[in-house]
Amino acid sequence: MAEVLSAGSGAPGVRRRILHLAARLLPGTTGRLLAHRYLSPASHLDPAQATRGGAELLPLAPGMAVLRHPGQQADAPRVLLVPGHDGHVRQFARLVRELRRLGAAVDLLILPGHLSRRRMRCGLAEIVPAIHRCGAEHGPYDAVAAHCVSASGLLFALAEGFDCPRLAFISTPIDLPKLLRLGATQYGLSGRCRSVFEATVIRLCAPYGPEAPWREVATARHGDTLVVHARHDFAVPVEDARALAEAMPSARLEIVEQGDHNGLLNIAPAMQALARFLAAR
């Protein structure tokens, strides 16, 4: 998963050896520290740059905000975009342009930990309440699209009563243990250190854990729904997208041949189709 923080950035060989040594000597401590790092976004938003071109940064809660691009008309469709837990609003630049070209008003939810360089936790335990709060304070929305872990968070929010006429799930992981295993693999963890890492992430994301009945939530969804996935997504297999779309009675599945887990957001035809879906009146 591209959102996983690389333990080898900077001086890959040296840092990787230090990490492996720490995991061997202090597996519990290292596993817990890496779990916190895994859930702490490395990207942050520069308000001065983000508000260029007429966008407005609206406070939502401590550490959270909404980046608003106004619509062309008072009755413009209102769309909310939710980046992944280590995602950045820049990833949605193409989709925002397409939505605004269609006349939609666009809000981007700035999740906890993305307004400061100081690392703060942003897992499912933070994402799901953020979606609820944004809907309550800045909604209602005509459409919502969420990417990666936040798309999983959108499923949890639906289970708790959040609703919207149109929903789009992008690169959605429904098998959370599989995603955790990938994160552990990218850190190069094994044995007790890996077990502690995975258990700590699950604990920090509670009550939104791997055992949650996502299929029941998906089956209950009857609004217009689009599931978008890259065939070559390295983090979430396309089978997950098929399972999610098949479980939703009214869902349409779009499998994109280009791009990958994050790169999908830069594929022009895919974002144009997604924008048409989200901005439909």
Side-chain angles (χ1 to χ4, degrees):
M1 177 180 174
E3 293 173 358
V4 174
L5 304 177
S6 171
S9 60
V14 174
R15 296 188 64 178
R16 180 69 65 171
R17 286 195 295 271
I18 293 173
L19 173 60
H20 289 173
L21 179 62
R24 198 163 57 246
L25 297 178
L26 298 167
T29 300
T30 303
R32 286 188 291 271
L33 287 174
L34 288 177
H36 283 272
R37 183 174 177 83
Y38 176 79
L39 293 174
S40 302
S43 61
H44 74 283
L45 181 71
D46 182 341
Q49 291 185 352
T51 53
R52 289 176 182 171
E56 184 180 6
L57 194 64
L58 307 174
L60 181 60
M64 291 189 291
V66 169
L67 182 63
R68 173 162 297 171
H69 296 270
Q72 296 177 4
Q73 298 178 355
D75 63 344
R78 301 194 65 230
V79 180
L80 173 65
L81 304 179
V82 189
H85 88 280
D86 194 27
H88 196 285
V89 296
R90 285 193 301 266
Q91 292 177 299
F92 283 90
R94 187 181 293 275
L95 179 56
V96 170
R97 285 197 301 271
E98 292 296 335
L99 284 167
R100 299 193 71 196
R101 184 179 63 81
L102 296 174
V106 185
D107 282 2
L108 287 106
L109 177 53
I110 311 303
L111 294 167
H114 291 77
L115 285 174
S116 170
R117 290 184 180 273
R118 184 169 63 88
R119 300 185 82 104
M120 298 171 57
R121 198 168 72 214
C122 184
L124 284 168
E126 290 72 39
I127 292 170
V128 179
I131 292 173
H132 281 301
R133 185 156 189 166
C134 186
E137 296 192 14
H138 292 286
Y141 291 100
D142 298 297
V144 178
H147 180 246
C148 189
V149 173
S150 291
S152 302
L154 183 55
L155 280 172
F156 287 116
L158 287 175
E160 296 175 346
F162 183 86
D163 199 13
C164 186
R166 290 176 178 270
L167 296 179
F169 295 84
I170 310 168
S171 307
T172 308
I174 58 174
D175 188 341
L176 294 175
K178 187 188 302 178
L179 198 66
L180 276 182
R181 289 193 295 272
L182 176 61
T185 299
Q186 290 190 320
Y187 279 126
L189 305 183
S190 61
R192 172 168 162 70
C193 188
R194 175 173 179 163
S195 299
V196 171
F197 167 81
E198 294 177 358
T200 303
V201 172
I202 291 172
R203 176 177 59 81
L204 293 175
C205 287
Y208 309 107
E211 73 287 346
W214 69 266
R215 194 176 295 276
E216 294 177 17
V217 180
T219 302
R221 167 70 184 168
H222 290 282
D224 290 338
T225 309
L226 180 63
V227 178
V228 185
H229 213 86
R231 186 177 300 279
H232 304 293
D233 189 322
F234 63 89
V236 182
V238 72
E239 288 75 18
D240 281 20
R242 288 199 182 96
L244 177 61
E246 289 171 0
M248 291 181 168
S250 59
R252 176 164 58 93
L253 174 64
E254 290 286 346
I255 298 177
V256 182
E257 298 298 330
Q258 299 81 29
D260 53 23
H261 186 74
N262 289 324
L264 170 62
L265 297 171
N266 286 318
I267 304 302
M271 293 303 100
Q272 290 164 1
L274 180 56
R276 287 193 297 271
F277 170 81
L278 294 170
R281 294 181 180 272

